[in-house]
Amino acid sequence: MNAVITKSLSDKVLVIGEYFNDYAHGGIAAVLRYYKPYFQTFRFIASHRSSKFADKLRYDLGGLLKMCFVLLWNRLTGGDIRIVHIHTVAGGSFRNHQYYVRLAKSLGYKVILHSHASSFESYFGAAGHGQAAILRTLNCVDRLIVLSESWKLWFIGIGVSDAGGRIVVLNNITEPPAGPFVKPDKKMGPREFLFLGEIGDRKGIFDVLDAISEHRAELDGKMLLRIGGNRDVQRLLDEIDNKNLSSMVRYEGFVSGDRKAELLLRSDALILTSYNEGLPISILEAMSYGNVIISTPVGGIPEVVDSSNGILVSPGDRDAIFNALERVVSMSSDEFKSMSDASRRKVEPFYPEHVMSCLSNIYTSVL
């Protein structure tokens, strides 16, 4: 493992973010799972967790108190910590993390705020008089990390200062497939599509089911959609049943580890027709496995998906979703291989060697 944050540097960083383990759900949890092995010292405090109200309350309150104690003790004992790196999204997460930012700054620490929010634009737009407080937080941190150039321009546009290069684009991180990579050569059988993500309206999965149902005659026997995710599972199962799609759509449960790798390898295309996004880890993972991508031009997605490796459709456009499915279904082997190879090339800057080097440079520049 060459792409590491060295001990001399990682000792100086305290990471704050959502509780995570091998089975934790959520985009930040996935990022933190990827980060941890590449820090020779991973100092971490969970600010919140995404499920169970009692546990969430305990982490929301306890995380702030724990960070206060750790930073005070570090200051009193001459400890190594110099930087607080906070991973946040929008809504309650950002409101909660504003207190972490203010506390860390008041104690004299450098603060990096790492925005993973897919919905920050709508959150900021709905904040009204609260926009001023949001901007004060964003403008007091030492670095604001965002996931794409489009998000950087958006933050500048609402009044966040980029003086001295304060706003930094850092790619999300994904791992290349383990071991030799061989995409199955399918000469027979249906094309396989994969959805990975939170099951709900925002990720567009119900638009996909509607598109399949409306064009069942054209697609039946030619495609199989596997769905991996959590949240609104019963609604998903009801939709599959009510639309009589069980021969074309299968729910795989929440998938991780070897099972997720197996699904990514056997699938031909990932479909994620979201209404808003930062830059989804699932798209990067699918690209690393040579999948064609069907998605939407939101957030940072157009920076990694274009006509060379995928198809972009407008959110909610079921006819366009069908046309994209039909195109993948009817692709020749040569066209599929060309797009598959393009996905693998385009995802290389998101591998640990590059991302951890960039993050190391960010830490060094802050210090």
Side-chain angles (χ1 to χ4, degrees):
M1 187 182 295
N2 298 320
V4 297
I5 307 294
T6 62
K7 186 177 188 319
S8 62
L9 189 54
S10 60
D11 279 347
K12 296 179 172 64
V13 181
L14 175 65
V15 178
I16 307 293
E18 181 181 339
Y19 168 82
F20 73 99
N21 57 26
D22 289 343
Y23 307 101
H25 305 157
I28 291 182
V31 171
L32 292 171
R33 275 200 303 269
Y34 275 130
Y35 273 26
K36 184 177 178 180
Y38 295 98
F39 281 63
Q40 290 193 333
T41 304
F42 192 71
R43 303 176 188 268
F44 175 74
I45 293 175
S47 57
H48 65 289
R49 64 189 301 160
S50 59
S51 62
K52 294 185 180 180
F53 177 77
D55 285 338
K56 183 177 185 300
L57 185 65
R58 175 166 61 88
Y59 276 88
D60 284 351
L61 295 175
L64 186 63
L65 292 173
K66 184 174 181 180
M67 187 189 80
C68 181
F69 173 80
V70 168
L71 295 183
L72 283 172
W73 183 255
N74 180 76
R75 186 68 73 206
L76 290 170
T77 59
D80 294 322
I81 298 172
R82 298 290 181 272
I83 297 172
V84 180
H85 183 172
I86 303 171
H87 294 261
T88 192
V89 286
S93 171
F94 185 82
R95 287 191 294 272
N96 180 30
H97 286 135
Q98 287 184 106
Y99 296 106
Y100 286 79
V101 170
R102 292 168 189 166
L103 177 60
K105 291 297 292 182
S106 71
L107 293 174
Y109 289 88
K110 300 289 188 179
V111 174
I112 296 171
L113 189 64
H114 197 150
S115 176
H116 302 265
S118 60
S119 57
F120 209 98
E121 183 174 0
S122 57
Y123 165 65
F124 184 78
H129 295 300
Q131 289 181 352
I134 293 172
L135 287 173
R136 280 197 298 273
T137 298
L138 294 172
N139 279 312
C140 81
V141 299
D142 297 277
R143 291 291 186 278
L144 173 64
I145 294 179
V146 298
L147 302 183
S148 67
E149 289 291 341
S150 59
W151 274 113
K152 177 176 179 175
L153 293 173
W154 183 84
F155 277 108
I156 292 172
I158 65 169
V160 180
S161 171
D162 187 34
R166 287 181 64 254
I167 307 178
V168 182
V169 176
L170 180 68
N171 289 339
N172 257 339
I173 189 171
T174 194
E175 297 271 6
F181 177 89
V182 181
K183 196 77 172 169
D185 184 13
K186 299 176 187 171
K187 293 184 171 60
M188 303 288 291
R191 286 281 188 192
E192 294 199 20
F193 295 80
L194 181 63
F195 171 93
L196 292 175
E198 180 180 300
I199 296 168
D201 290 318
R202 184 176 75 83
K203 296 281 188 178
I205 185 57
F206 294 105
D207 295 328
V208 175
L209 295 185
D210 286 342
I212 296 172
S213 178
E214 290 165 11
H215 296 275
R216 182 187 181 92
E218 297 99 311
L219 296 173
D220 196 11
K222 298 177 181 178
M223 67 161 289
L224 174 64
L225 170 63
R226 298 180 187 272
I227 298 172
N230 62 332
R231 301 299 186 198
D232 209 346
V233 173
Q234 191 56 54
R235 179 184 170 194
L236 174 73
L237 297 175
D238 290 343
E239 285 285 292
I240 293 171
D241 185 50
N242 293 337
K243 296 181 186 299
N244 194 27
L245 295 176
S246 59
S247 65
M248 303 171 70
V249 181
R250 296 179 189 171
Y251 176 56
E252 299 285 343
F254 177 78
V255 296
S256 61
D258 291 342
R259 179 56 178 160
K260 180 163 71 171
E262 177 190 342
L263 292 175
L264 286 165
L265 183 60
R266 70 179 296 162
S267 61
D268 299 297
L270 180 93
I271 184 162
L272 190 73
T273 53
S274 302
Y275 285 76
N276 54 58
E277 286 290 358
L279 183 56
I281 292 287
S282 60
I283 285 182
L284 302 177
E285 290 174 330
M287 288 170 62
S288 75
Y289 279 84
N291 280 267
V292 174
I293 307 298
I294 300 174
S295 195
T296 48
V298 299
I301 292 173
E303 296 176 30
V304 296
V305 179
D306 57 28
S307 59
S308 70
N309 70 321
I311 306 164
L312 295 176
V313 302
S314 296
D317 189 336
R318 296 167 189 170
D319 287 337
I321 292 171
F322 161 67
N323 290 334
L325 292 170
E326 188 177 47
R327 181 180 166 196
V328 174
V329 162
S330 60
M331 271 183 189
S332 68
S333 295
D334 287 344
E335 184 182 9
F336 175 78
K337 185 177 187 307
S338 174
M339 296 184 80
S340 174
D341 290 345
S343 275
R344 296 191 68 205
R345 286 194 304 271
K346 289 171 74 70
V347 79
E348 288 176 1
F350 298 84
Y351 287 159
E353 194 74 36
H354 178 80
V355 177
M356 288 296 116
S357 175
C358 292
L359 182 57
S360 180
N361 290 338
I362 292 171
Y363 288 155
T364 301
S365 70
V366 168
L367 290 170

